[in-house]
Amino acid sequence: MKKVAIFTLTATAILASAPAMARQHGGPRPDFSQLDANGDGQITQAEVKAFGAAEFAKADADGDGSLTLEELTARAKTDRVRKMDKRAKRVLKRLDSDGNGTIELAEMEEKQGGMRMFDRMDENEDGVISQEEFDAKKGKRHRKEKRNSHDE
């Protein structure tokens, strides 16, 4: 019973701090109007707590006042699907130059996103990417990811 109470309090605290956590962890970010429940142009602590409670209630699928691992996992999957859907729509909008609702290979090549990456990796501009250049970029990305994870 004590573990359930601790888990519930922890989950409530996590969901109540959702706006700050979303900013740090890339989760769904509420917009100002979602947090400013009374529409007065200011967000109070009470409004943030109310938002957190509402998010908790959404995740609590069976309405029993506590979140199971399954409910938390389902919520995470829903958030991830929503984020990926938004990303896919942005990519489609950016690459679909003829506006037909699909991306053809010619449209992708037209944007040359892959070539920009190739050009960045080909540091000595000899038209090929050596193992050293590849590893150097991989190392920079790894160090950046590691640095970002320490900032959280």
Side-chain angles (χ1 to χ4, degrees):
M1 181 67 175
K2 192 174 186 178
K3 287 182 182 180
V4 172
I6 291 171
F7 176 76
T8 302
L9 288 172
T10 302
T12 302
I14 289 170
L15 290 171
S17 63
M21 289 178 58
R23 197 171 54 253
Q24 293 175 348
H25 300 290
R29 295 178 180 131
D31 62 25
F32 191 89
S33 64
Q34 288 176 292
L35 296 170
D36 182 19
N38 64 6
D40 67 354
Q42 298 177 356
I43 299 171
T44 64
Q45 289 180 357
E47 288 171 317
V48 171
K49 286 180 182 178
F51 179 82
E55 291 298 301
F56 184 94
K58 285 182 199 175
D60 184 14
D62 61 10
D64 69 354
S66 63
L67 299 178
T68 63
L69 177 59
E70 290 79 15
E71 289 169 323
L72 289 169
T73 302
R75 177 61 189 258
K77 286 179 182 176
T78 299
D79 290 344
R80 194 174 13 235
V81 167
R82 191 175 302 128
K83 183 177 180 181
M84 295 306 294
D85 185 51
K86 287 180 182 180
R87 181 177 293 161
K89 287 177 182 175
R90 283 193 312 265
V91 167
L92 182 65
K93 185 177 180 178
R94 190 178 80 237
L95 296 178
D96 183 21
S97 58
D98 64 7
N100 70 349
T102 62
I103 301 168
E104 285 72 38
L105 179 59
E107 290 172 314
M108 289 183 70
E109 290 172 343
E110 178 183 305
K111 298 295 181 177
Q112 294 188 344
M115 300 306 351
R116 284 193 305 259
M117 182 182 72
F118 185 94
D119 292 342
R120 281 194 304 266
M121 292 184 82
D122 182 17
E123 290 183 350
N124 64 3
E125 299 177 7
D126 64 355
V128 296
I129 300 170
S130 68
Q131 181 74 49
E132 291 79 22
E133 288 170 322
F134 186 87
D135 291 343
K137 288 295 181 183
K138 184 178 174 185
K140 286 180 185 177
R141 188 173 59 244
H142 177 71
R143 285 189 298 274
K144 182 178 179 182
E145 289 170 0
K146 192 174 180 180
R147 186 173 50 247
N148 288 342
S149 71
H150 287 304
D151 293 343
E152 296 173 359

